[in-house]
Amino acid sequence: TTFRITGKKPGKAHIVISDASRVTKAFDVEVIAPAPPSSPSFGPEKEIVRIANISWVQNGPRAASTFTIGRPHKITAIQTYHWNNGRGQPGGTIALKSSSGQTYGPWSVTTQPGMGGAPNAYWMVKPNVVIPAGQYTIIDSHPSTWSFNLQSGNRGMVVVNGAEQK
């Protein structure tokens, strides 16, 4: 037995029930379109956190790079820095981990040169993921080359952009 419904818009539709050889029943029905699901709206993209500066850096941060948001946000971009004594670091991944243990990502990065032409120094992702309010830690797949300094509070250098849910 098969069902065939004609009519894709609200209004009348014709339903035909049949088996392989003949129509067994046909009738008209009223089609009621469901309300489209509402999607959240977001404000403008802005910088959520900046742990970065242009002072001399070292490798391997001694403290976690974290940020806290009070409302859900769509995370649009995350960038970490891997100067690595001018050698940079071939791309890896970046993820976010919430204080409740939920991990978002990891996302594969694209890279750009950094200070002095260091190859692959800037690691960037554009996840476009919505995360709830809470505290988050940046997870970098190569922490031994992630840049930090005293001015960054010994935290890995990172910039996070996003848009707050309205």
Side-chain angles (χ1 to χ4, degrees), residues 66-145:
T66 64
F67 66 96
T68 301
I69 52 174
R71 296 180 55 97
H73 277 67
K74 179 188 286 186
I75 303 302
T76 55
I78 304 171
Q79 175 185 286
T80 61
Y81 191 60
H82 294 258
W83 188 70
N84 193 21
N85 301 313
R87 293 187 308 268
Q89 175 65 44
T93 62
I94 297 173
L96 296 174
K97 187 168 186 175
S98 74
S99 58
S100 66
Q102 173 74 36
T103 299
Y104 297 86
W107 303 285
S108 294
V109 304
T110 59
T111 65
Q112 288 185 349
M115 297 288 259
N120 306 310
Y122 287 104
W123 286 16
M124 294 155 291
V125 295
K126 295 187 181 221
N128 287 316
V129 64
V130 177
I131 60 173
Q135 183 177 17
Y136 293 87
T137 301
I138 310 298
I139 307 298
D140 186 291
S141 66
H142 212 283
S144 66
T145 62

Side-chain angles (χ1 to χ4, degrees), residues 29-41:
V29 296
E30 185 74 18
V31 176
I32 301 171
S38 62
S39 57
S41 62

Side-chain angles (χ1 to χ4, degrees), residues 144-157:
S144 66
T145 62
W146 193 2
S147 298
F148 82 99
N149 58 24
L150 289 175
Q151 292 82 355
S152 74
N154 294 318
R155 300 170 295 169
M157 294 191 174

